Amino acid sequence: MIRSLFAEYVDKYFARVIGKIVEKFNGKTQESKLLHKTMLTEEYSADLKWGSSEINHSIVAADVVALDSPLPLKKRDTISNATGELPKIGVKYRKGEKLISDINVAKARNTDEATIVSKIFDDTTKCIRSMDVTKEILFRRGLSTGQLLVTEADNDGTGVRVSFGYKDDHIFHCKADPWLGTNPTPQDDVQQLFDKADEDGNTISHVYLTKRYFDAFRKSKQGRLLAANAKQQVITDENLLPVVGRAAFLEALEDEYGATFHIVEGSFKVQDPDGSDRPAEAWKEANVVGVPEEIVGRLVYGTLAEETNPVAAVIYQKAGSHVLISKYSKTDPLEEFTAAQALCLPVIDNADGIYVLHADSAGSLVVNPSSLSFPKSASTKEVEVHADGEISVTSSQTWATAIVADGKISVSVTANTGAQRTAKLTVSDGTASKEVSISQAAAS
C-alpha cells in the first residue's frame, strides 16, 4: 500500500470535495427519498454497542375508592431491551491503469483543474452515496419488518441478525382478501392498527406504505368510497365512483384516520462480489406500518479502529460524523483506491408503539385452493399451505386422506364405486383453522 498517485490534488481538495458532497446529499431536495435522514437521530456509542431500551410508561386511570380504603396497586412500568454489537459496513472503488493514464494525459495537456479534480474524486461521490444507500436499505428493512440482516463487508456470506422486538399482537393481516385480490377491504384492514393502538393507549401519527399498495387501496371500492365521503359527494351508485388522484386520496386518508400517510418510494441496487448489480429489497413491499411519531429511532455509530490507528500511506477524511473515506494506491498492477467504511446501525426504538399490517395475507393461515374436485378414479392432488405454526389436517371421510410435507398438503382419494360424494378437510396451525371442500365424481 502506497500513498495516492494524485496526492497533491488529494491534499488540496479532499476535505472540500467531501464537504460539498455531504452538503448536497443531506439536502432535502436531493435526498428526499432517504427516510433515515429524517426519521433517525444520530447517537455515538463509545463501546461499539447498540441498544434499544423502551420504557413502557403505563398511564392508567385512577381508581375510585371508598374513604379509608387502601389504594390498589398499579402495574409497574416495564422495560424491554434489545442490544448488540455495531456491525461494520464498507465499500471500495478502484481505478485501473487505463483510468490512471487518462488522468495523467489530461494533466499533461493542461486540462483545466476542475475537470482533473472531478475525475480523481468521482469515486468519492460513489462511496458516500453507496454508504447512504446501505444505511437506507437497512433502515427500511428494519422499520417494515422489525428485523434485519447485516452482511459485514469483511465477511462475505455471514451476517448479523438484528431484531427490534416488534410485538406479535401488533402484527395484523387482511380481514378479507389481500389488497391485490378481487375483493379487498383495505379501510377495514388499516382500521385494525388504529383500534389496537387505541386499546393500548398509543397513538399512530404516521403510516408508511409502498406505492403499489397505496394504489391498490386508492382503486379499491372502499378507497373510492372513502375519497367520495371526504368530498361529501352524493353517492348514487358505488360502482361508478371515480378513482381520485394521489394528493386527494392522501388528504382523504388523513381525514379518516387522523394520521399522515407516506408513500415509500425509491428502489436500490447492491453489487455482488463478482461486480454484477442486483435489485435490493429494502421495504417489505406489502407491509403497512403505523408509528407514533416521525422520529422512530437512532443511527448509532462508533469509532473505527483505523480512525484511531491510521495507516501511514493512506490519506483520510471524515464524511459527516462517522463515515471514514480513504485514498491510497497499490502496485503490480498499478491501482488507485477510494474506500468508505463505518461502524453504524439504524436502530428502531419504541417497538411497543409500532403496528404492522401484512396487506398481502388474509391471516397467518393461508390455504390455496379452498376446494378440490376429483374424478371417480383413485387420485391425488396438492393444496398449498402457509402457516406460522405447525400444520395439522383432519378429514371428515375415510376415503379422503391428507399428508403434510414441505408446505403442501397431498390429498388422496380412493376409487369411487357409487354416487358423487363429498368430504371436508380441516387445516389448522394451532391458532386458526380453514376448510377445504372435496368432491368426487360418481362411478357412472
Side-chain angles (χ1 to χ4, degrees), residues 103-404:
I103 294 173
N104 287 332
V105 169
K107 290 168 59 180
R109 291 178 176 175
N110 294 319
T111 303
D112 65 278
E113 196 166 67
T115 301
I116 295 173
V117 169
S118 67
K119 291 181 178 292
I120 293 173
F121 291 104
D122 58 350
D123 286 345
T124 304
T125 303
K126 294 177 186 176
C127 279
I128 295 174
R129 173 65 180 176
S130 294
M131 295 293 281
D132 272 348
V133 167
T134 298
K135 289 181 282 187
E136 181 70 8
I137 291 172
L138 294 176
F139 171 66
R140 291 191 182 195
R141 286 176 184 167
L143 182 59
S144 62
T145 67
Q147 59 183 353
L148 53 87
L149 180 67
V150 184
T151 302
E152 296 195 43
D154 298 331
N155 296 286
D156 291 337
T158 64
V160 179
R161 184 173 296 279
V162 178
S163 175
F164 299 115
Y166 282 17
K167 299 180 70 173
D168 290 341
D169 63 349
H170 287 196
I171 310 298
F172 295 88
H173 300 269
C174 299
K175 301 183 76 171
D177 279 359
W179 288 18
L180 302 182
T182 55
N183 294 298
T185 55
Q187 185 175 351
D188 296 341
D189 299 335
V190 172
Q191 188 62 47
Q192 295 178 96
L193 308 185
F194 287 86
D195 289 345
K196 178 59 175 171
D198 186 59
E199 177 187 322
D200 296 339
N202 294 327
T203 300
I204 295 177
S205 299
H206 297 269
V207 178
Y208 296 83
L209 73 168
T210 60
K211 183 179 184 301
R212 185 181 187 190
Y213 280 81
F214 171 82
D215 287 342
F217 192 167
R218 182 167 60 94
K219 295 174 182 178
S220 69
K221 184 176 181 179
Q222 283 196 340
R224 289 181 283 118
L225 278 169
L226 188 153
N229 288 328
K231 292 184 177 181
Q232 298 181 339
Q233 293 179 341
V234 177
I235 301 170
T236 57
D237 188 342
E238 295 179 353
N239 296 316
L240 298 179
L241 288 172
V243 177
V244 301
R246 173 190 290 202
F249 194 61
L250 285 172
E251 289 181 7
L253 288 171
E254 183 168 359
D255 181 65
E256 173 67 19
Y257 296 105
T260 303
F261 280 67
H262 305 267
I263 302 172
V264 179
E265 296 184 285
S267 58
F268 307 99
K269 292 182 178 181
V270 295
Q271 196 171 81
D272 287 330
D274 63 1
S276 60
D277 290 335
R278 60 178 171 84
E281 183 181 51
W283 191 274
K284 188 69 173 176
E285 187 181 44
N287 287 8
V288 181
V289 180
V291 300
E293 54 189 12
E294 187 177 12
I295 300 298
V296 297
R298 297 155 292 135
L299 183 67
V300 183
Y301 66 93
T303 302
L304 288 153
E306 195 168 345
E307 186 174 350
T308 53
N309 299 274
V311 179
V314 179
I315 303 174
Y316 297 96
Q317 283 294 333
K318 289 287 288 292
S321 59
H322 58 279
V323 177
L324 185 64
I325 311 293
S326 58
K327 289 188 73 68
Y328 58 91
S329 298
K330 286 185 178 180
T331 59
D332 195 24
L334 188 64
E335 298 170 307
E336 174 85 0
F337 290 93
T338 304
Q341 54 183 317
L343 288 168
C344 64
L345 185 74
V347 176
I348 310 300
D349 293 322
N350 193 22
D352 285 355
I354 296 176
Y355 301 82
V356 180
L357 168 69
H358 294 293
D360 61 345
S361 173
S364 58
L365 177 62
V366 179
V367 178
N368 184 43
S370 59
S371 63
L372 295 173
S373 296
F374 289 89
K376 64 182 180 181
S377 58
S379 54
T380 299
K381 292 187 177 183
E382 288 187 337
V383 173
E384 292 186 357
V385 60
H386 168 78
D388 295 332
E390 186 175 350
I391 302 167
S392 63
V393 184
T394 57
S395 175
S396 64
Q397 300 292 335
T398 56
W399 54 266
T401 57
I403 298 175
V404 180

Side-chain angles (χ1 to χ4, degrees), residues 55-70:
I55 302 178
N56 179 21
H57 294 287
S58 304
I59 307 298
V60 294
D63 293 280
V64 178
V65 297
L67 292 176
D68 300 322
S69 297

